[in-house]
Amino acid sequence: MEVNRGGFVISLDFELNWGVHDVFRHGQYDENLYGVRHALPKILTLFEKYGIHATWATVGLLFAETKDEMAHYLRGIPVKYEKKRYAAHLQLANVGENEQEDPLHFGKSLIEEILRTPHQEIGTHTFSHYYCVENGQTEDDFRADLHATMLISADYIAPMKSIIFPRNQVNTSYFEACLETGLVCYRGNETHALYSPEKFTKKSRLLGAMKWLDSYVNITGNHLIRLEEMKRDVFVNVRSSAFLRPYCKRLSVLEGLKVRRIKEGMLAAAKTEAFYHLWWHPHNFGKHTEKNLAMLEELLRYFRELQTTYNFQSYSMHEVAMLCQQ
C-alpha cells in the first residue's frame, strides 16, 4: 500500500496558571487548574491506547523545582510590556515554594508523566508564557525568554524542536530567534482573517463569538495542511486546523455539531492526503473531565477508523517537520 502523506496532528498548550493569571481573578479558574492533575494522566492513557503522537508545548517555568529557581531565570528576562499585568514576574509573589505546596504553578511531575508515555514530544510554549505582539516587548526580550527555556530543560529532555506561541501571537519577525535556538517548526493560525494574530487587548466579544460559532458550524473551512506548502519554509508552519473546545453545559445540545465538524475535517484530510491539526489546553479538561474525555475518545476512535481505511497516521509537530525535510 502506498504511504499516505497526510495525518492527524495533536498539540496541547501546557501552561497551568501561567497561561491564565492575567485573564481570571485570583482563584476564579482554580477548578480547571486543579483538575489538570486528574485530566492529564487520563489524556495520556487515551493517547497510548489509540497510538497517538502529540506535542505538549510546555511553559518553561513548569520545569522549575523551587520558587527560587523560577526567580533565578526570570531575572534574566526583561519586563517591558506596557500592560505590566501580562508579566509572569508579577505572579511570582503568589507562587508557593514547590510543587507539593503549589500545584498551580509547578508541573515537573506532570512533565515526567508525559515523558513516560510513548510518542509524546515536549515542545516549548516559551518560558514565561511570552506574548510576541504586545506593546513594549522586543525581540531581544523574546530571545532571553527562549534562552531560559533551553537552559532549564537542557539536562532533562532532548533539545526542543517545536514552539507554540502563547495566545497564538505568531510574530514572523521572531522566527530567526527561534531557528537560532534549534527550533524547526511552529503552530501557525488558521488561514482566515478570523484567526489572524492580534494583541490580547484588541480582542472583541464579536470576534470570540464568531470563533465559537465556527467550532460548531463550518464558516471558515476545514483548514487542512499539505506537505507541499509546508516544505516551502525553512521554519515549518504546522498550521492549526481547529481548537477542541471543551464541554459547555449551556451548549450541551450542540456537542454533536462540534464533534461532527471536527470529524468532517479529519475525513477530508484523510481522503486528500492532507494533515488535520487539533489543539487544546489540558486545563480545558480540568472541569467536566469525564465528558471531555468521552468526546476525545470518540474522536480518537474515529481516527482509528480513518487509519484503517485511508492509512491516516498520527504525528507530532516535529514528526511533520521531519517529513518536510525528507
Side-chain angles (χ1 to χ4, degrees):
M1 179 183 293
E2 183 181 353
V3 175
N4 193 314
R5 299 171 65 197
F8 188 36
V9 185
I10 285 181
S11 62
L12 299 97
D13 300 8
F14 182 31
E15 53 195 36
L16 293 180
N17 197 47
W18 298 109
V20 297
H21 69 87
D22 52 347
V23 179
F24 296 102
R25 295 188 306 274
H26 184 67
Q28 185 182 1
Y29 198 62
D30 280 4
E31 182 178 358
N32 284 75
L33 295 174
Y34 281 114
V36 172
R37 302 273 160 177
H38 173 65
L40 187 147
K42 290 182 176 290
I43 293 171
L44 288 171
T45 297
L46 287 177
F47 284 178
E48 187 166 9
K49 177 180 178 181
Y50 290 94
I52 297 298
H53 301 213
T55 297
W56 297 75
T58 303
V59 166
L61 280 158
L62 297 180
F63 283 89
E65 295 184 0
T66 66
K67 183 176 181 177
D68 286 344
E69 188 179 8
M70 288 180 177
H72 167 74
Y73 284 104
L74 284 172
R75 278 193 292 271
I77 305 171
V79 185
K80 295 182 181 177
Y81 296 121
E82 286 185 7
K83 299 283 187 180
K84 296 297 183 185
R85 65 186 179 88
Y86 295 159
H89 307 62
L90 302 183
Q91 182 64 18
L92 201 59
N94 299 320
V95 173
E97 292 301 321
N98 51 47
E99 188 170 0
Q100 290 69 38
E101 184 179 319
D102 184 355
L104 302 188
H105 292 97
F106 294 85
K108 197 164 186 180
S109 70
L110 295 173
I111 295 171
E112 290 170 349
E113 288 201 51
I114 296 169
L115 290 172
R116 284 195 295 268
T117 306
H119 311 304
Q120 305 306 297
E121 174 197 9
I122 300 290
T124 181
H125 203 34
T126 72
F127 183 78
S128 62
H129 204 253
Y130 188 95
Y131 301 146
C132 292
V133 302
E134 296 298 337
N135 292 334
Q137 55 81 37
T138 68
E139 185 176 358
D140 284 341
D141 301 343
F142 178 66
R143 275 190 166 90
D145 185 280
L146 280 188
H147 186 61
T149 294
M150 301 309 167
L151 282 176
I152 200 170
S153 62
D155 296 329
Y156 192 64
I157 63 170
M160 296 178 181
K161 298 299 182 183
S162 305
I163 182 170
I164 292 175
F165 293 91
R167 300 270 187 263
N168 294 312
Q169 290 188 354
V170 177
N171 188 334
T172 57
S173 300
Y174 291 0
F175 285 2
E176 183 180 347
C178 294
L179 291 168
E180 287 171 1
T181 56
L183 296 167
V184 300
C185 62
Y186 69 102
R187 188 185 72 210
N189 300 313
E190 294 91 322
T191 52
H192 189 277
L194 195 62
Y195 296 96
S196 297
E198 290 192 73
K199 292 176 182 175
F200 189 48
T201 50
K202 288 190 174 181
K203 290 183 178 177
S204 68
R205 289 185 178 180
L206 177 60
L207 181 69
M210 290 297 292
K211 287 183 178 179
W212 268 91
L213 183 60
D214 192 37
S215 297
Y216 296 90
V217 181
N218 190 343
I219 297 174
T220 65
N222 289 320
H223 304 289
L224 308 183
I225 333 162
R226 289 179 171 77
L227 206 57
E228 291 72 19
E229 64 178 293
M230 287 188 282
K231 283 183 175 181
R232 298 179 195 138
D233 301 317
V234 175
F235 195 39
V236 179
N237 182 5
V238 189
R239 198 175 61 239
S240 167
S241 301
F243 170 56
L244 179 59
R245 292 196 179 274
Y247 173 83
C248 178
K249 189 174 182 179
R250 288 177 300 168
L251 299 176
S252 59
V253 295
L254 301 178
E255 285 296 295
L257 289 178
K258 178 176 64 180
V259 172
R260 186 172 70 184
R261 165 94 161 98
I262 294 170
K263 285 182 176 181
E264 286 175 353
M266 293 170 66
L267 177 61
K271 284 183 172 181
T272 60
E273 297 191 341
F275 293 86
Y276 189 85
H277 187 167
L278 188 66
W279 71 278
W280 69 96
H281 310 83
H283 60 66
N284 295 137
F285 282 25
K287 187 176 180 180
H288 304 302
T289 301
E290 298 309 317
K291 289 186 179 295
N292 284 311
L293 289 169
M295 171 182 63
L296 176 60
E297 185 160 23
E298 181 178 350
L299 292 171
L300 298 186
R301 281 198 302 267
Y302 189 62
F303 157 73
R304 274 290 183 83
E305 292 178 23
L306 297 177
Q307 187 178 46
T308 301
T309 306
Y310 298 100
N311 197 26
F312 197 51
Q313 299 299 320
S314 175
Y315 295 99
S316 68
M317 287 174 57
H318 183 218
E319 287 170 339
V320 174
M322 287 192 295
L323 288 177
C324 294
Q325 293 171 359
Q326 294 171 13

